[in-house]
Amino acid sequence: MADAMISAFESSLDKTNLILKDIENAYGWPKDRRNQSYAALRTVLHLLRDRLPVDESVEFAQQLPVLVRGIYFDGWVPSDVPIKLNRDDFLYEVRQGFPYDAEGGPERVTQVVLDTLRRHVTQGEWQDVKDTMPSDLATMMP
């Protein structure tokens, strides 16, 4: 039993590192900028989570690696969602939550993280998430 738990944890860690590496590769960042890829992932995940209805948010989270799911739900207050954010509001909040200068600004940060997340969930779930977004925000989603 303990071996299975360690294996599940290691698998989740590997999948989480793969997501962070995908973000880093999109920017050409070396691994020593892992704090930046983590901050980008966390910021966009939290904004996406807070924009989704509770049921859809939980369904989306079920497809994330356990460690990413923990990041996703950290600080979540289900009674406060969904928060209405249009594209400009979303990008403003990304800028507030991502304290680094990155090429392309908050729009590129958002696009890189969304592109990365899209590759790690099923097409059907991604489409469900996209369908809950206002049209101006949905256009940013792959």
Side-chain angles (χ1 to χ4, degrees):
M1 178 80 155
D3 288 341
M5 290 177 70
I6 290 171
S7 178
F9 179 80
E10 287 174 352
S11 174
S12 181
L13 182 60
D14 290 344
K15 291 174 184 175
T16 300
N17 278 324
L18 181 60
I19 290 170
L20 294 171
K21 285 177 190 176
D22 285 352
I23 293 168
E24 291 158 4
N25 288 340
Y27 272 105
W29 292 340
K31 187 178 179 181
D32 67 357
R33 292 179 72 176
R34 181 61 47 101
N35 285 340
Q36 285 182 228
S37 57
Y38 170 76
L41 177 64
R42 180 183 173 88
T43 299
V44 174
L45 272 177
H46 282 188
L47 289 167
L48 189 62
R49 172 202 73 194
D50 291 345
R51 182 62 185 87
L52 293 170
V54 171
D55 290 345
E56 185 56 44
S57 188
V58 172
E59 288 176 19
F60 173 70
Q62 288 173 335
Q63 295 201 6
L64 300 173
V66 172
L67 291 176
V68 176
R69 197 175 316 148
I71 296 165
Y72 182 79
F73 283 124
D74 184 44
W76 189 44
V77 181
S79 62
D80 290 349
V81 300
I83 297 171
K84 296 202 182 286
L85 294 171
N86 63 29
R87 181 182 183 278
D88 291 338
D89 296 335
F90 195 96
L91 293 175
Y92 173 80
E93 293 298 330
V94 169
R95 184 67 201 132
Q96 298 306 304
F98 183 73
Y100 302 96
D101 289 326
E103 184 181 326
E107 188 166 350
R108 174 92 170 112
V109 169
T110 300
Q111 193 64 58
V112 165
V113 173
L114 292 175
D115 286 346
T116 298
L117 290 171
R118 167 57 204 103
R119 291 191 303 272
H120 294 274
V121 300
T122 65
Q123 177 63 36
E125 184 55 42
W126 190 254
Q127 191 61 49
D128 288 348
V129 168
K130 193 173 178 178
D131 288 347
T132 68
M133 295 294 136
S135 59
D136 66 337
L137 190 52
T139 60
M140 293 182 64
M141 300 181 74

